[in-house]
């Protein structure tokens, strides 16, 4: 793959490994730049891959979602004296599961890693030379400094999902954005309904 030549040089100097804190947590993963491949196909293409901001996703994004939804679930939905009907839980929890599945789909799938192309014919075909990875790249493909790789149709690095956003995980990213917004609005609506019902009962 088209990974950072600087990273390759550092890894080669250290005996094939990169000396940073990631090696203590991702020791079973294959390193590609600043990406971590946990499972791959026979042809080498990644199936499960984590981005450089995986700690933020694991220790900030996921706890925020589970913590907020857990509080809403406990105080408003599953308590015995809840002011909300039971059928709300049959909608709320599947939406939560959908959001977590979409987050996994963004964070743990290939964003569009490109293979290294050094054939000069690619340059004649409208591709551009990228010095950071020592490879030609098509229009739209960009080098992500944080990921240390060349990503097809690269859009941006999203710390909330922990990885770069490119062609292959863009759809999952959009689904996650829609899902998390629905979950937020749903939670706020339940809080408002519960508060209004509490005021009415108090009167």
């Amino acid at each position: 793959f088209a990974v950072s030549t600087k990273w390759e040089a550092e890894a080669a100097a250290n005996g094939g490994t990169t000396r940073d804190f990631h090696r203590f947590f991702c020791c079973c993963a294959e390193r590609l730049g600043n990406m971590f491949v946990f499972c791959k196909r026979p042809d080498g293409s990644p199936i499960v891959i984590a981005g450089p901001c995986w700690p933020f996703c694991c220790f900030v994004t996921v706890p925020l979602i589970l913590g907020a939804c857990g509080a809403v679930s406990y105080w408003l939905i599953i308590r015995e004296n809840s002011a909300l009907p039971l059928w709300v839980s049959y909608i709320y929890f599947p939406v939560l599961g959908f959001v977590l599945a979409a987050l996994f789909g963004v964070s743990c799938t290939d964003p569009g890693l490109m293979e290294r192309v050094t054939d000069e014919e690619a340059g004649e075909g409208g591709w551009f030379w990228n010095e950071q990875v020592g490879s030609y790249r098509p229009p739209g493909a960009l080098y992500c400094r944080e990921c240390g790789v060349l990503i097809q149709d690269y859009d941006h690095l999203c710390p909330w999902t922990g990885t770069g956003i490119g062609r292959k995980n863009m759809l999952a990213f959009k689904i996650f954005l829609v899902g998390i917004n629905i979950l937020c609005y749903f939670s706020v609506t339940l809080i408002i309904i519960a508060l209004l019902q509490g005021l009415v009962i108090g009167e």
Side-chain angles (χ1 to χ4, degrees):
F1 289 96
V3 300
S4 169
T5 53
K6 180 181 179 181
W7 172 83
E8 285 182 324
E10 291 176 353
N14 293 320
T17 60
T18 303
R19 299 186 181 278
D20 56 21
F21 80 95
H22 292 290
R23 64 195 174 105
F24 297 108
F25 300 96
C26 304
C27 56
C28 61
E30 178 184 342
R31 193 81 176 256
L32 278 177
N34 294 322
M35 308 284 283
F36 306 89
V37 181
F38 292 93
C39 183
K40 60 183 180 180
R41 298 181 179 87
D43 62 359
S45 59
I47 300 175
V48 179
I49 182 171
C53 299
W54 67 265
F56 192 90
C57 180
C58 290
F59 302 117
V60 177
T61 305
V62 174
L64 273 177
I65 294 173
L66 293 180
C69 293
V72 170
S73 300
Y74 177 75
W75 293 105
L76 302 180
I77 299 177
I78 62 177
R79 293 187 72 180
E80 291 184 2
N81 59 345
S82 173
L84 299 174
L86 181 63
W87 58 263
V88 172
S89 63
Y90 298 135
I91 301 175
Y92 191 78
F93 293 122
V95 171
L96 173 60
F98 174 80
V99 169
L100 293 175
L103 177 61
F104 179 84
V106 181
S107 304
C108 300
T109 56
D110 177 10
L113 303 185
M114 297 200 63
E115 295 184 3
R116 179 169 286 149
V117 178
T118 56
D119 191 347
E120 294 183 358
E121 291 183 0
E124 298 174 359
W127 287 31
F128 307 97
W129 178 257
N130 187 282
E131 191 65 33
Q132 290 101 327
V133 296
S135 171
Y136 284 98
R137 64 171 180 83
L142 294 174
Y143 172 73
C144 175
R145 182 178 59 183
E146 290 81 6
C147 297
V149 293
L150 191 67
I151 299 178
Q152 192 173 13
D153 293 339
Y154 177 70
D155 190 75
H156 69 286
L157 178 80
C158 177
W160 295 98
T161 59
T163 191
I165 307 301
R167 170 176 289 188
K168 292 186 178 180
N169 65 353
M170 177 60 77
L171 178 60
F173 178 70
K174 292 179 178 178
I175 292 174
F176 170 70
L177 289 181
V178 172
I180 195 68
N181 275 280
I182 291 174
L183 185 61
C184 287
Y185 293 134
F186 195 1
S187 299
V188 171
T189 301
L190 293 181
I191 293 172
I192 293 173
I193 291 173
L195 289 174
L196 291 176
Q197 288 185 347
L199 289 175
V200 171
I201 293 174
E203 291 177 357

